[in-house]
Amino acid sequence: MVYFIGAGPGDPDLVTVKAQKVLQKANAVLYTGSLVPKEVLSWCKEDAIIKDSQGMKYPEIFAFLEEYKDKVVARVHTGDPSIYSTIAKQIQFLQEKSISYEVIPGITAAFGAAASLGIEYTIPGVSQTMILTRIEGKTPNPEKLENILACKNSSLVFYLSILLLKKLKKKALELGYSPDTPCWVVEKATWEEESIYKGTISNIEEQVSHIKGVALILLGDFLHQEETQESHLYVKPLQKELKANK
């Protein structure tokens, strides 16, 4: 059995109990070394075969999964395996080889960042839609940036895009975003060395120009965290309020 494990955004304590149990019994572990904290591997058995997938191409990854198919294999990805993890291609290979697998979800960086910031992505009257995306770089993006930014009433979170922040700023201002639109960056969300930068679309670039690694970009008025409408789930209906005031 091959287990695809979401190791969370960085803090090893955010790994699920189910994932921890798999790591404790795994015979072979293939992990994303550039992103998965080494502490996560502390739960592995002493005799477990542990290999870093950083720099490996698909044929090498497939070979590893197939070599240990009769063992318990933990394929450890950062965050949640369903987002920017390439598990679709790996699962396709396993299906072709009739190798059993299971996916164990994890906490994606967007939710780790929100916890660190103490924010909500869905603010009544401001945003009820969250978009997880990335800015097109070397890898093509079928969703054009202008179409994504056209969703001004959505909470926008950009992965893998910190080096393309200038492109985001330019396009946002061209599309009529106010220069004062909140734009925050969370570097290495939930890691011990996490850093948070709060600015606007006009000035955030100069604050984070030194970042070359893992960081999220959050953009939108939802960052004000101010409701423009009250949630009917938590506010008494007007009639009841009037009756209570009589």
Side-chain angles (χ1 to χ4, degrees):
M1 173 75 81
V2 175
Y3 293 91
F4 292 95
I5 292 175
D11 183 350
D13 287 340
L14 294 177
V15 173
T16 65
V17 173
K18 187 171 184 177
Q20 185 180 15
K21 288 179 178 178
V22 170
L23 287 168
Q24 289 171 339
K25 67 180 182 181
N27 305 108
V29 179
L30 186 63
Y31 73 103
T32 309
S34 59
L35 299 171
V36 175
K38 294 295 190 296
E39 291 86 347
V40 171
L41 303 177
S42 66
W43 295 310
C44 298
K45 298 189 298 183
E46 287 187 6
D47 61 346
I49 298 166
I50 302 175
K51 191 167 184 178
D52 184 354
S53 65
Q54 186 176 10
M56 292 174 67
K57 304 301 182 184
Y58 280 125
E60 298 168 278
I61 293 172
F62 296 160
F64 184 96
L65 299 179
E66 187 170 22
E67 180 178 358
Y68 300 103
K69 64 181 180 182
D70 296 324
K71 307 287 186 180
V72 176
V73 180
R75 176 66 174 112
V76 186
H77 286 276
T78 185
D80 181 86
S82 67
I83 300 176
Y84 300 116
S85 68
T86 71
I87 68 165
K89 203 169 185 70
Q90 296 175 70
I91 287 175
Q92 182 183 29
F93 169 79
L94 295 178
Q95 290 173 336
E96 291 172 352
K97 296 292 183 177
S98 298
I99 299 174
S100 299
Y101 66 90
E102 181 180 338
V103 180
I104 300 176
I107 297 174
T108 188
F111 300 142
S116 296
L117 292 167
I119 63 167
E120 179 181 352
Y121 286 114
T122 52
I123 304 297
V126 179
S127 173
Q128 293 293 287
T129 301
M130 180 183 179
I131 297 177
L132 305 181
T133 186
R134 49 175 284 274
I135 301 170
E136 184 176 53
K138 292 181 180 178
T139 302
N141 189 349
E143 294 83 20
K144 298 301 181 183
L145 182 56
E146 54 264 33
N147 294 334
I148 295 168
L149 290 173
C151 302
K152 289 187 177 181
N153 294 325
S154 298
S155 302
L156 303 179
V157 181
F158 295 89
Y159 283 68
L160 309 170
S161 301
I162 193 63
L163 299 180
L164 298 167
L165 187 53
K166 180 178 291 187
K167 182 177 181 179
L168 173 63
K169 171 184 175 180
K170 181 175 183 294
K171 184 61 66 174
L173 294 176
E174 285 177 359
L175 292 173
Y177 275 71
S178 167
D180 295 328
T181 303
C183 186
W184 298 356
V185 170
V186 181
E187 181 184 15
K188 303 197 77 171
T190 78
W191 291 68
E192 286 188 7
E193 57 267 40
E194 173 191 82
S195 295
I196 293 172
Y197 305 87
K198 296 182 178 181
T200 65
I201 192 62
S202 64
N203 65 26
I204 190 64
E205 186 183 359
E206 59 199 51
Q207 294 186 45
V208 300
S209 59
H210 63 284
I211 300 177
K212 307 300 180 185
V214 181
L216 284 177
I217 304 169
L218 287 70
L219 174 66
D221 288 330
F222 76 97
L223 291 170
H224 290 303
Q225 296 290 286
E226 297 175 357
E227 297 182 1
T228 60
Q229 294 181 3
E230 292 183 324
S231 171
H232 291 285
L233 289 173
Y234 301 105
V235 178
K236 293 180 180 179
L238 181 59
Q239 291 182 346
K240 288 186 179 180
E241 290 186 6
L242 292 175
K243 185 177 180 180
N245 291 331
K246 286 184 180 180

